[in-house]
Amino acid sequence: QVYLMESGGGSVQAGGSLKLACGASRYTRASGCVGWFRQAPGKEREGVAAINFNGVTNYADSVKGRFTISKDNHNNTLYLQMNNLKPEDTAVYYCAADGPTTWAKCTLDPKEFGNWGQGTQVTVSS
C-alpha cells in the first residue's frame, strides 16, 4: 500500500500564498501522472494541476498563472505553490498518484487517478 500525505494547508487572506506538499511512501508507478485536486463544499472534486513523469504540466484555467506544480522524484514529494489566492480557491486539496502514463499533458479528470491522500484544508478569506 502506498500512502500519500498532504501538508501545508491553512488560512490566508486573499492575495496571500501557500505551498502544499504531498509525501509518498513510494510511487507504485514512477511513470504515472501525479496531481492536485480540490473539493469545495457542495461541489464535485476538480482537477487543479498535474505533472507527468517527464515534467510536463497541466493546469486548470482557473489557476493558470497563479499555481505551480512541481515534484522531487528523489524524495517522492509533490508540491503545489499557490500565489495570489482568491476566496474561490477555498477547498480541501488532495494529492493523487497512479494516473495515466503519457508523454503529453496529464488529464485533470479525478477518475483517472488511483491513489489519494486524505486532503488538507485551504481557506482564503476576503
Side-chain angles (χ1 to χ4, degrees), residues 19-37:
K19 187 172 185 176
L20 306 182
C22 175
S25 53
R26 63 180 179 89
Y27 286 119
T28 54
R29 293 190 295 111
S31 61
C33 289
V34 291
W36 288 95
F37 299 78

Side-chain angles (χ1 to χ4, degrees), residues 57 82 91 122:
T57 57
M82 305 185 294
V122 171

Side-chain angles (χ1 to χ4, degrees), residues 27-34 51-54 71 99-102 106:
Y27 286 119
T28 54
R29 293 190 295 111
S31 61
C33 289
V34 291
I51 186 168
N52 75 0
F53 70 96
N54 203 34
K71 61 179 180 174
T101 297
T102 177
C106 297

Side-chain angles (χ1 to χ4, degrees), residues 59-76:
Y59 295 93
D61 289 342
S62 59
V63 306
K64 282 180 181 176
R66 299 188 298 122
F67 291 10
T68 302
I69 188 171
S70 62
K71 61 179 180 174
D72 182 339
N73 290 326
H74 179 71
N75 293 316
N76 284 337

Side-chain angles (χ1 to χ4, degrees), residues 39-118:
Q39 188 165 17
K43 295 188 177 181
E44 293 187 354
R45 191 170 298 189
E46 64 175 359
V48 175
I51 186 168
N52 75 0
F53 70 96
N54 203 34
V56 177
T57 57
N58 190 20
Y59 295 93
D61 289 342
S62 59
V63 306
K64 282 180 181 176
R66 299 188 298 122
F67 291 10
T68 302
I69 188 171
S70 62
K71 61 179 180 174
D72 182 339
N73 290 326
H74 179 71
N75 293 316
N76 284 337
T77 304
L78 182 69
Y79 300 99
L80 185 68
Q81 177 67 49
M82 305 185 294
N83 298 328
N84 191 21
L85 282 160
K86 303 176 180 181
E88 51 264 42
D89 295 319
T90 295
V92 177
Y93 282 71
Y94 300 88
C95 66
D98 292 348
T101 297
T102 177
W103 286 88
K105 290 184 177 181
C106 297
T107 178
L108 295 178
D109 184 351
K111 295 190 295 295
E112 298 297 323
F113 290 76
N115 195 9
W116 293 83
Q118 294 300 305

